[in-house]
Amino acid sequence: MAQGYRTRIVVSNPGELSNIVNITLEDPIREKAVNILDALVRIYNGNAIEDKQIIADRTSNFIDERIANISSDLASVELVCTGFQDRKRSNRYCCGSQCKLECWCC
């Protein structure tokens, strides 16, 4: 039954650069054809949403990993900065990124 509908569904592109497709299905019962096409579009849209969610999750994970790496790198720099200041017996008060910049410029 599904194979019969599959062969009767016609998909066409109205223009070479268009991102729109025309989907037609001829059936003696018009409402049935409309319901089948509606179901196809719902499934397609659901799959597109799932694909976008997978991409968003992967992007989020990548960003989280990069932030963790950068945080680790900054913590290492802060340790170096603190050690450098201790060795120089600096009385200078530094905090956050300002300290890191001052240490690299000393």
Side-chain angles (χ1 to χ4, degrees):
M1 179 186 224
Q3 186 63 30
Y5 283 110
R6 187 176 190 190
T7 58
R8 294 188 318 196
I9 293 175
V10 177
V11 180
S12 62
N13 188 345
E16 187 176 319
L17 301 176
S18 176
N19 59 356
I20 298 171
V21 294
N22 293 323
I23 306 171
T24 56
L25 171 62
E26 291 188 25
D27 192 85
I29 305 170
R30 184 179 190 284
E31 186 177 337
K32 187 175 185 181
V34 169
N35 289 339
I36 290 170
L37 293 177
D38 284 345
L40 287 174
V41 170
R42 274 194 310 275
I43 291 169
Y44 174 83
N45 288 338
N47 289 341
I49 290 169
E50 287 176 13
D51 291 346
K52 288 179 183 181
Q53 186 62 49
I54 289 169
I55 292 169
D57 290 343
R58 288 180 182 165
T59 301
S60 178
N61 290 339
F62 172 78
I63 291 170
D64 288 345
E65 288 173 11
R66 291 299 303 145
I67 288 172
N69 289 340
I70 291 168
S71 294
S72 175
D73 291 346
L74 288 176
S76 297
V77 169
E78 192 162 344
L79 285 174
V80 169
C81 180
T82 302
F84 179 79
Q85 285 179 347
D86 288 345
R87 283 194 308 270
K88 291 290 187 177
R89 303 274 184 225
S90 174
N91 291 331
R92 196 172 10 167
Y93 177 75
C94 302
C95 65
S97 62
Q98 182 181 2
C99 176
K100 292 174 189 76
L101 291 174
E102 288 178 8
C103 289
W104 289 112
C105 296
C106 295

